[in-house]
Amino acid sequence: MTVTATSVDRPDRLQPPPAKGARARLIRLVPALVSALSGVLLYVSFPPRTLWWLALPAFAGFAWALRGRTWKTALGLGYLFGLGFLLPLLVWTGVEVGPGPWIALVVIEAVCVALVGAGIAAVSRLPGRPLWAAALWTAGEAVRARVPFGGFPWGKVAFGQADGVFLPLAALGGTPVLGFGVVLCGFGLYDIVRLLLRRRDGEVRRSAAAVALLSVAVPVVGAVGARALVSDKAEAGTATVAVIQGNVPRAGLEFNAQRRAVLDYHARETHRLAAQVAAGKEPRPDFVLWPENASDIDPFAAPDAAAVIQGAAEAIGAPVSVGSVVERDGKLLNEQILWDPVKGPLQTYDKRQVQPFGEYLPMRSLIGAINGEWTSMVRQDFSRGDKPGVFDFGRVKVGLATCYEAAFDWAVRDTVTHGAELISVPSNNATFDRSEMTYQQLAMSRVRAVEHSRTVTVPVTSGVSAVIMPDGRVARHTGMFVPAHIDMKVPLRTSETPATRLGILPELALLLVAAGGLGWAGAAAARGRRAADV
């Protein structure tokens, strides 16, 4: 490689002469088109497809579009990337309520991506730019996971990597480190291509080449090394768990009007499993897991619902975790109930991260003035629980993260730090029909399994229900909108991964890196000169 020490761009040697007329206008649209298509490419890398590797060229294209842009241009390009990614990714949010909420959600979420784009453009001429840029992307995800209305982490890059080679990074530092590694590799890939193209002019510094190569190599080597943290070995013995999918009378919001039918369906599937156990066709489970909303009739207030649950628990001869809607002390709660076949209800867990516009309505009066139908769909806000959910099924401790909570790092982690040997994610996806939402959420649970080295069960009212091994592998799963169950032996684990022990620290470290990059770029701009470039 020919090496010279140069610190400024030579755009005259890298770009063709200025174009004129319509051709010039078309060329000016290329960065916008590349940004939008790169966003679409990132979407395509997400489940149910297994094209995880497309995230790398997606971020390489984004890096090309942003490099050297003004902050105003970068805002627009970042917004286009956000729209290209989030519009198709989140289309399921409008399955039953129309396009309004879907479009509004994407418009708001893409603002954060736009701001990240401006930041990436600012650091795009710094030495080590892939590091600063990837840290800024992670910082943007951290913000989206917290604001507005408690955050919306859906679309974290980590959640698209359940089938990828980078997945073991989740055990090292959780979703922030996994996502950072993927984005760093994508930005590094762009720099490698750019430097190879410049090599013909002999204007490549060794330090620049080293940074580009390390940006790609370090995440890959780190993922390979982190595989030692991934294991499905039983550390505390095994347990036989049964996951019940009762199905719903039909897809859509109206299934809530048929609450008794949903409860009966789950009881019926439990009785069917009990008959197979009695016939010796299935192993007797140590405990049974029903999904969220399996009983939208409050069993503490409705004796007939309590009798149905009690009958199912007695038939299977094991405690059952029942997802229910409960009203207590004037509060509406999305609750899991541990129901013992002998002693009845013993423990409860109230969902802590409730879904805005689904389980509660922010700015109710304003929203009602805009569209009264939205307030009628969420007539009463759900209240939040305040304690981690860990059910004691005899010798087995099961952590609970109800549906939407699986997207939040803290909501899953603190079940493990409170002793969970297995994690359950009871969910209700019937509202979203056969959309990609179910597969996106399943991928989240696979990442959580590796992140905390725990078996993860996913009981869902209408599917896809699954049992996931601690290495992220789906051991068994059901179809959609069919009654079904899974009854199998799974490993119990007690050790904590670095991700579990470190908690939020890796994310904070990456936030500091992002702030450092912006500070450096800002200082260089204030001095009226460009930072050293290669």
Side-chain angles (χ1 to χ4, degrees), residues 31-221:
L33 184 63
V34 169
S35 289
L37 291 179
S38 294
V40 173
L41 202 61
L42 181 59
Y43 155 70
V44 176
S45 75
F46 272 65
R49 295 157 296 276
T50 56
L51 303 174
W52 56 270
W53 52 272
L54 287 178
L56 303 184
F59 281 103
F62 193 36
W64 176 86
L66 291 175
R67 187 169 186 273
R69 306 293 177 186
T70 65
W71 69 268
K72 290 182 179 179
T73 300
L75 272 176
L77 294 175
Y79 201 78
L80 288 173
F81 182 88
L83 292 179
F85 173 43
L86 296 171
L87 271 171
L89 185 81
L90 302 179
V91 66
W92 52 266
T93 59
V95 167
E96 289 295 333
V97 294
W102 164 47
I103 299 298
L105 174 63
V106 171
V107 165
I108 293 171
E109 291 291 306
V111 170
C112 188
V113 182
L115 293 172
V116 168
I120 292 174
V123 301
S124 66
R125 294 188 184 277
L126 296 179
R129 61 185 143 263
L131 173 67
W132 314 117
L136 279 165
W137 180 269
T138 306
E141 289 190 337
V143 172
R144 286 204 303 117
R146 291 167 174 82
V147 294
F149 313 126
F152 188 73
W154 222 278
K156 272 189 170 186
V157 170
F159 295 146
Q161 296 296 309
D163 291 293
V165 298
F166 297 101
L167 181 58
L169 290 174
L172 193 61
T175 59
V177 168
L178 172 54
F180 171 78
V182 174
V183 179
L184 177 63
C185 198
F187 283 133
L189 181 65
Y190 161 70
D191 257 17
I192 287 175
V193 173
R194 187 180 69 85
L195 292 174
L196 286 173
L197 292 176
R198 291 191 61 174
R199 182 185 175 192
R200 70 189 64 175
D201 295 322
E203 298 184 358
V204 176
R205 296 177 64 182
R206 291 186 188 277
S207 59
V211 168
L213 290 172
L214 286 172
S215 297
V216 173
V218 168
V220 174
V221 172

Side-chain angles (χ1 to χ4, degrees), residues 298-309:
D298 184 351
F300 297 110
D304 59 332
V308 171
I309 297 169

Side-chain angles (χ1 to χ4, degrees), residues 477-498:
H477 66 87
T478 69
M480 294 185 72
F481 293 100
V482 292
H485 65 262
I486 301 171
D487 185 20
M488 65 177 292
K489 185 180 293 186
V490 299
L492 303 175
R493 293 181 58 82
T494 55
S495 63
E496 293 186 351
T497 63

